Amino acid sequence: MSEPTTVLSGDRQRLFLAIWPDAALAARLHELTRRTLPPGQGRAIETRNLHLTLAFLGSVEPTCRSCVESLAGEQRPPAFTLIFDCLGYWPRSHLLWAGCSQPPAMLRSWVDHLRGALRRCGLEPETRPFKAHLTLARNVRRYSGIGRGGRVAARMRHERVDDVAPVEWPVTALMLVSSETRPHGARYTILREWPLG
Ligand code: 2AM
């Protein structure tokens, strides 16, 4: 018997634009999660599902998908490297994530461009400033930090950030991805890929 999936009306799909680590990097990040999660805490994201969302479309009709596809790849930055050097925890959403203490400035402008593409297609993208985070685990109810020089962010009640040994991620493509919610977690399918310049 096949697993039940989230039912979307008509041909709607839940979509997002993301970057995806290669298998070796995803395995390193997964191993970092395994070493970091307190015993019995949280649900580590499966290695093959690790990714970083740049812009979230939500549930959209095929015409909207086509519109985003025609605009999203218009301005692509040259390939670049992200350096993940911190682990963060958001107590409200119970997320453990990996992040970059010094993301390149072009990442912000790229995300602004993608959000602009969404707007031109009639969507209402996130308006909060982009915060690059790669979710490592969900449902983490308790986390007291790890790593060297752990520090408590200014907004302590909302975030905790610890330094970790830097992990380099060469970013070479943008992906359009669909998400289906299944009983045992999300199932992601890469629908389209644009290589970076
Ligand atoms: P998360 O890891 O912080 O939950 C698929 O759900 C991807 O889209 C995940 O990377 C998720 O980020 C992100 N996402 C889900 N809902 C979102 C929303 N409303 N706004 C922005 N990103 C969202």
Side-chain angles (χ1 to χ4, degrees), residues 14 16 51-53 55-56 90 95 126 128 133-135 138 179 186 188:
R14 189 170 191 266
F16 57 98
H51 66 274
L52 194 154
T53 295
F56 183 74
W90 288 331
L95 287 189
E126 177 67 77
R128 286 176 297 185
H133 73 280
L134 184 153
T135 299
R138 299 187 188 279
S179 159
Y188 301 129

Side-chain angles (χ1 to χ4, degrees), residues 3-23:
E3 288 178 326
T5 56
T6 308
V7 177
L8 295 175
S9 61
D11 298 327
R12 293 179 87 89
Q13 288 177 296
R14 189 170 191 266
L15 302 176
F16 57 98
L17 292 162
I19 51 179
W20 224 266
D22 67 18

Side-chain angles (χ1 to χ4, degrees), residues 123-139:
L123 297 170
E124 289 179 20
E126 177 67 77
T127 51
R128 286 176 297 185
F130 175 68
K131 165 96 184 175
H133 73 280
L134 184 153
T135 299
L136 296 174
R138 299 187 188 279
N139 304 332

